[in-house]
Amino acid sequence: MAASMSSTAGMSNMLQFMKLIGQLKRVPRTGWVYREVNQPESVSDHMYRMAVMSLTITDPTVDKGRCIRLALVHDMAECIVGDIAPMDNVSKAEKHRREEEAMRNLTGLLQEGLKQEIYGLWEEYETQSSPEARLVKQFDLLEMILQAHEYEQLEGTPGRLQEFFDSTDGRFHHPDVLQLVSSLNEERREHMINADRTKHSGKSQTPSTESAEPHPPSHTS
């Protein structure tokens, strides 16, 4: 009976954990909200593509599976504290304190082994204490600027989100990531050039007022 009750309580806690994680699908990424992006992505959207980036890594010196797990865990605390962005004027120490408390509460719903694994992954990412954590941090930044580029394309506003690109200067180091960033920057440059070309082409093809006016009807005597 005691084992049955313990199992029931464990599943109830797991259900609560899953419901909290589900909140990530409804937490918008704050940076896009502040920049008034239409229908901004959720934290869950961001984490998913980071996990896919981790899945596609070809570097044999890093643990691909660990990278995927780090990507899935790194922003988990935001299901409780929300996405705290630099423009929120919350210090790094206070942000860490809030997220640490949230992760303790969140993983406290899990059995000991799983609790230690998930909290340990979050802590590893926070402290950037492994090659995998440092690579996943670069994926975090890469995913952000890729999303910024996509928003510029969707809005037809090339260059509007330049500040997000500027914030990543000098922060990419892994060869695979650098190649992706180079490809992204080249595509973005082409997008901006084409948009500028279209804009000037449209101006040059505007019909003159004289040719656009209808001729008055002729009068017969």
Side-chain angles (χ1 to χ4, degrees):
M1 178 67 74
S4 177
M5 289 179 65
S6 174
S7 176
T8 301
M11 282 301 101
S12 178
N13 284 343
M14 179 63 81
L15 179 62
Q16 296 311 308
F17 173 81
M18 292 299 177
K19 288 172 69 177
L20 282 167
I21 294 301
Q23 292 288 352
L24 293 169
K25 296 192 285 184
R26 295 176 284 281
V27 176
R29 294 262 285 161
T30 307
W32 310 132
V33 175
Y34 279 128
R35 292 298 169 263
E36 299 182 341
V37 166
N38 185 39
Q39 296 182 324
E41 66 168 345
S42 70
V43 173
S44 182
D45 295 330
H46 168 66
M47 291 168 69
Y48 176 76
R49 184 152 61 180
M50 280 179 63
V52 174
M53 287 176 174
S54 299
L55 179 64
T56 62
I57 195 71
T58 59
D59 185 350
T61 68
V62 296
D63 184 338
K64 181 187 294 191
R66 191 163 197 85
C67 288
I68 294 170
R69 293 194 295 276
L70 284 162
L72 291 172
V73 166
H74 83 287
D75 277 342
M76 265 190 185
E78 295 180 11
C79 70
I80 295 174
V81 302
D83 181 20
I84 302 170
M87 41 283 260
D88 288 322
N89 294 319
V90 175
S91 70
K92 286 185 178 180
E94 174 59 17
K95 179 177 183 288
H96 179 79
R97 186 198 67 77
R98 293 183 194 180
E99 293 182 347
E100 183 178 38
E101 182 181 5
M103 284 303 294
R104 291 194 185 281
N105 291 333
L106 189 60
T107 57
L109 294 167
L110 304 172
Q111 293 183 350
E112 194 59 31
L114 192 53
K115 169 184 174 179
Q116 290 180 0
E117 179 186 4
I118 291 178
Y119 186 85
L121 286 165
W122 176 82
E123 196 169 45
E124 179 181 333
Y125 181 82
E126 282 290 294
T127 58
Q128 292 288 280
S129 60
S130 69
E132 288 79 11
R134 292 188 287 275
L135 176 56
V136 173
K137 180 60 184 177
Q138 293 176 63
F139 285 149
D140 180 49
L141 298 171
L142 171 59
E143 203 288 323
M144 177 185 72
I145 60 172
L146 174 54
Q147 186 62 71
H149 171 54
E150 289 172 336
Y151 284 142
E152 289 178 344
Q153 288 184 307
L154 287 167
E155 294 176 349
T157 55
R160 181 171 92 84
L161 300 172
Q162 180 62 40
E163 66 192 282
F164 292 92
F165 289 83
D166 292 342
S167 72
T168 67
D169 283 350
R171 301 180 70 182
F172 297 116
H173 308 289
H174 192 281
D176 288 11
V177 179
L178 286 168
Q179 286 181 14
L180 280 167
V181 171
S182 176
S183 181
L184 169 59
N185 285 334
E186 181 58 33
E187 182 177 301
R188 185 169 181 253
R189 271 193 297 272
E190 289 178 9
H191 177 231
M192 293 171 76
I193 290 168
N194 290 337
D196 192 55
R197 228 179 250 143
T198 302
K199 181 180 175 182
H200 284 87
S201 174
K203 283 182 179 178
S204 65
Q205 291 178 15
T206 302
S208 67
T209 305
E210 186 176 316
S211 62
E213 289 179 347
H215 294 291
S218 60
H219 294 283
T220 57
S221 54

